[in-house]
Amino acid sequence: MYDRIAELLAAIGYDTISDSDKILLNFAISKVESEIKNEINWKEIPQGLESVLICRVAGEFLLHKKTFAPSDLSMLDLSGGAVKQIQAGDTNFVFSVDEGGESASGRLSTFINYLLTCGADQFSAFRRIRW
């Protein structure tokens, strides 16, 4: 599970995991596993919710980093990746990307919130009744 979470973080752009990051990731794994198990009343995480676990752990990790060590997230590309202006001959196209939109920090917060709430709609398919 740890390796799959590290792969997701690398795909996002966070590819250097330090020793302190490993401690934080292990804590986040334990926390999210407990939350999911409590939500669905299972003793183990079902295979169908492993991707939910991975996303939520990545969200917890990024939230902690954003809160306590924001400089560690400097390698993430939060520019939006869209072209703002295109000129072909005498024709000029200008797109209003990021003008009046979210800042890089706002996009990161939105992404973290998405990761933290990922898969909530899937819990009902796995939920067991508590007696």
Side-chain angles (χ1 to χ4, degrees):
M1 190 63 54
Y2 178 87
D3 293 334
R4 291 179 64 195
I5 296 165
E7 287 174 4
L8 175 61
L9 289 172
I12 292 169
Y14 194 94
D15 52 1
T16 306
I17 296 179
S18 67
D19 289 337
S20 63
D21 290 344
K22 290 177 185 178
I23 294 168
L24 180 57
L25 274 175
N26 286 325
F27 173 77
I29 290 169
S30 177
K31 178 182 183 288
V32 173
E33 277 183 346
S34 294
E35 289 172 352
I36 292 174
K37 289 178 198 177
N38 289 335
E39 184 69 30
I40 63 173
N41 197 26
W42 283 48
K43 293 185 188 281
E44 297 296 324
I45 301 292
Q47 186 177 1
L49 291 179
E50 286 179 358
S51 61
V52 173
L53 173 74
I54 292 167
C55 287
R56 287 183 173 222
V57 169
E60 284 286 336
F61 177 80
L62 292 173
L63 179 63
H64 280 89
K65 283 294 183 179
K66 182 180 178 202
T67 304
F68 299 111
S71 62
D72 290 354
L73 299 177
S74 62
M75 78 278 292
L76 299 180
D77 180 15
L78 300 170
S79 63
V83 176
K84 181 175 179 172
Q85 181 173 355
I86 299 173
Q87 185 165 355
D90 60 349
T91 306
N92 190 18
F93 298 97
V94 178
F95 302 102
S96 60
V97 176
D98 288 341
E99 292 178 12
E102 281 188 304
S103 65
S105 177
R107 280 191 298 279
L108 179 60
S109 294
T110 301
F111 182 61
I112 290 172
N113 285 335
Y114 165 75
L115 290 173
L116 290 173
T117 59
C118 174
D121 56 337
Q122 297 177 34
F123 290 159
S124 61
F126 294 93
R127 191 167 286 131
R128 291 183 176 170
I129 297 173
R130 296 177 200 215
W131 295 100

